Amino acid sequence: MSETAAKAPGAPATSGDANRWKALVFIALAQLMVVLDATIVNIALPSAQTDLGISDGNRQWVVTAYALAFGGLLLFGGRIADLWGRKNAFVVGLIGFALASALGGAATSGAMMFGARALQGVFGALLAPAALSLLAVMFTDAKERAKAFGIYGAIAGGGGAVGFILGGVLTEYMDWRWTFFVNIPFAIVAALGAYFVIREPEGGRNRNPLDIPGVLLSTLGLVALVYGFTRAESDGWGDSVTVGMFVASAVLLIAFVVTEARVKAPLLPLRVITDRNRGGIYLSLGIAIIAMFGTFLFLTYYLQIVKGYTPIKTGFAFMPMIVGMMVGSTQIGTRLMTRLPARLLMGPGFLVAAVGMLLMTQLEIGSSYASTILPAMLLLGLGMGTAFMPAMSLATLGVEPRDAGVASAMVNTSQQVGGAIGTALLNTIAASATTSYIADHIGSATSKSQQQLVALEGQVHGYTNAIWFAVGMLVLAAAIVVTLVNAGRPDTTAVTGSGEGAEEELAIPVVAH
């Protein structure tokens, strides 16, 4: 590859900043905090609900308030990172997240808790894209980039499962409030480290005026979409408000795309998503996350309700998935990313995860953890870790430095929307299958113990039905990757984009055209 193809004018040197590996520690710590928070709070929710007197009808807002703010503001947060500078956005996001966590831990009412969770979502939407885009602009050498994104991908994938363990320990042995307070030391250490260590490359800011119509349309459209799926989970797909949210979301997001095509300085330049590689990554990640969220949800219920595991034991039961993700991300993905095209890692990775998911469709009340759940979790973690690593790297590869924040935000947006869809969709499928099973079998149950057994069998039947759907989602994600993602090996191949500037050669792994 020629020197001109390998470097764009003004692009940082391949060697990068001397402190980039130290910076990675603090970026990874911040990512771990955000991912941990999502699962820790779920474990603590029953205790917090009792203490604060939150009704069953309102308890979903502990999760929904965060999801709405985070999912709705991610694109805006990515654009702010491009405008302010990623380091500034990163540090402000960390400080704000810590303050919101302190507010949540000190909550004395349901309303105070909901407000704290919404604030966490706001600052999380600033923090998450800033973290990923910092990696994109700091690590430009192919092999170093592979290692950095391998570490980041392993934390992004495995952190959620670690949250189950930490959440169980804190809730069982201390108090649910510590599931919020634990974020504070994470945030302080990461913010101080980032402030003193991170040196953002020059010339990467996007100083164009903010696209206010784009901000409003994208935020309202994404909030309506996330809320629609959340509402569907609790009130059903035919509920008038649910349908209204989906219609409003479609109208707003179509208007957003039309607006972005016409304004001079768009919030989301369409060149970011019309490139076939990045578009394929965003779509496949969102679909794969639907399957992942379903697995966390149903396995947690299965282990605690059906098998009688404690929260701590449930957390440790997820450890094989963490190990699989670490191996897939840091060993397989990192080692092969500079030798194989991304689709040959991501496609097989999603299929290996689908095989793991397929094993989980065999769950029964008496299923053995060692013979059924353990190998399923290992395969799921191994496959997702292998697929996530090149996905995280490729999602920001080839973008202009001024677009790095918003491209990173799209990765988080696809995952957040995928998670909201997955939770609602798979829950609905499971609940419907459970109801049908119990209706068909309860008549033959003559004693109370038999009725309880039928109820448990119905739950497991519901889980496996939903998991079959998740298998299909992972196969679909693999098909999308193989069809759309055509980027070559990062160290040898230049790929041609299919979006704006398609004629221009994109040298991999440079983050500038």
Side-chain angles (χ1 to χ4, degrees):
M1 184 185 295
S2 68
E3 184 65 16
T4 54
K7 271 190 185 184
T14 311
S15 59
D17 186 272
N19 287 327
R20 63 194 177 283
W21 290 107
K22 292 179 186 176
L24 176 62
V25 173
F26 301 112
I27 294 169
L29 187 65
Q31 172 67 10
L32 181 62
M33 177 191 73
V34 173
V35 175
L36 283 177
D37 183 74
T39 44
I40 279 181
V41 170
N42 286 337
I43 293 283
L45 183 53
S47 302
Q49 181 185 353
T50 303
D51 276 8
L52 299 178
I54 301 171
S55 68
D56 284 348
N58 286 332
R59 68 182 174 187
Q60 63 163 325
W61 284 102
V62 177
V63 176
T64 305
Y66 178 87
L68 288 176
F70 188 70
L73 292 171
L74 270 167
L75 282 177
F76 182 46
R79 178 66 179 83
I80 290 294
D82 288 335
L83 184 66
W84 283 359
R86 288 111 202 166
K87 175 180 174 178
N88 294 336
F90 184 70
V91 173
V92 170
L94 281 166
I95 293 169
F97 201 90
L99 291 172
S101 297
L103 189 65
T108 54
S109 67
M112 189 172 171
M113 169 65 77
F114 304 150
R117 288 291 285 159
L119 270 179
Q120 279 186 312
V122 169
F123 287 106
L126 184 63
L127 170 62
L132 188 55
S133 58
L134 276 170
L135 289 187
V137 298
M138 292 179 75
F139 289 90
T140 56
D141 175 74
K143 290 185 178 179
E144 287 194 352
R145 185 183 178 91
K147 289 178 185 176
F149 276 93
I151 294 166
Y152 185 88
I155 289 171
V162 175
F164 285 116
I165 300 171
L166 191 57
V169 169
L170 292 172
T171 303
E172 204 161 316
Y173 293 117
M174 296 178 72
D175 185 74
W176 66 264
R177 296 182 185 278
W178 282 98
T179 61
F180 284 89
F181 292 145
V182 74
N183 290 331
I184 298 172
F186 275 93
I188 290 173
V189 171
L192 287 173
Y195 182 78
F196 289 109
V197 170
I198 290 177
R199 296 289 180 268
E200 190 178 345
E202 295 293 328
R205 293 194 188 183
N206 185 344
R207 300 186 185 276
N208 288 320
L210 203 56
D211 170 21
I212 300 300
V215 170
L216 293 174
L217 289 169
S218 67
T219 300
L220 292 174
L222 288 171
V223 165
L225 184 64
V226 173
Y227 183 60
F229 277 103
T230 305
R231 177 95 184 184
E233 186 183 350
S234 57
D235 293 67
W237 296 93
D239 176 69
S240 58
V241 176
T242 302
V243 174
M245 285 293 122
F246 286 136
V247 171
S249 173
V251 171
L252 287 164
L253 292 177
I254 289 170
F256 171 67
V257 172
V258 172
T259 301
E260 298 309 274
R262 294 183 176 182
V263 297
K264 182 180 285 188
L267 173 69
L268 174 61
L270 296 183
R271 60 181 175 267
V272 171
I273 56 173
T274 52
D275 175 85
R276 64 183 294 164
N277 289 291
R278 286 191 292 273
I281 294 292
Y282 300 145
L283 187 58
S284 62
L285 271 184
I287 290 171
I289 289 293
I290 291 176
M292 281 292 288
F293 267 62
T295 306
F296 281 143
L297 186 70
F298 297 129
L299 269 182
T300 303
Y301 280 119
Y302 174 80
L303 293 171
Q304 291 195 32
I305 295 173
V306 179
K307 305 297 280 186
Y309 283 23
T310 63
I312 294 176
K313 190 175 180 182
T314 300
F316 278 105
F318 276 93
M319 284 301 289
M321 183 150 55
I322 301 171
V323 172
M325 282 182 171
M326 295 292 286
V327 171
S329 190
T330 61
Q331 300 303 311
I332 300 173
T334 299
R335 291 174 187 275
L336 296 181
M337 185 182 149
T338 55
R339 300 177 186 178
L340 294 173
R343 67 178 179 276
L344 295 186
L345 285 174
M346 292 183 65
F350 286 140
L351 290 177
V352 168
V355 172
M357 200 75 81
L358 194 62
L359 289 178
M360 288 190 206
T361 62
Q362 307 305 307
L363 283 178
E364 297 174 352
I365 287 180
S367 292
S368 161
Y369 176 84
S371 64
T372 304
I373 301 173
L374 176 62
M377 283 195 169
L378 280 171
L379 286 171
L380 184 63
L382 196 66
M384 294 301 274
T386 301
F388 266 46
M389 208 289 296
M392 289 287 184
S393 178
L394 198 61
T396 54
L397 204 57
V399 297
E400 298 178 27
R402 61 192 176 128
D403 295 334
V406 78
S408 302
M410 277 301 300
V411 179
N412 290 284
T413 301
S414 66
Q415 292 182 70
Q416 188 66 24
V417 172
I421 293 171
T423 304
L425 191 58
L426 296 183
N427 246 355
T428 305
I429 292 169
S432 177
T434 297
T435 302
S436 297
Y437 184 93
I438 293 174
D440 291 343
H441 294 79
I442 199 71
S444 60
T446 54
S447 65
K448 188 175 182 182
S449 61
Q450 287 178 323
Q451 290 173 352
Q452 290 174 337
L453 180 63
V454 168
L456 281 179
E457 287 174 345
Q459 284 191 34
V460 176
H461 178 73
Y463 301 157
T464 54
N465 266 262
I467 291 170
W468 269 111
F469 186 85
V471 172
M473 290 290 98
L474 286 170
V475 172
L476 177 59
I480 288 169
V481 165
V482 173
T483 304
L484 292 180
V485 178
N486 68 348
R489 296 207 308 266
D491 58 341
T492 61
T493 308
V495 299
T496 302
S498 59
E500 184 177 319
E503 321 312 313
E504 191 172 7
E505 189 183 64
L506 283 181
I508 307 300
V510 178
V511 293
H513 281 297

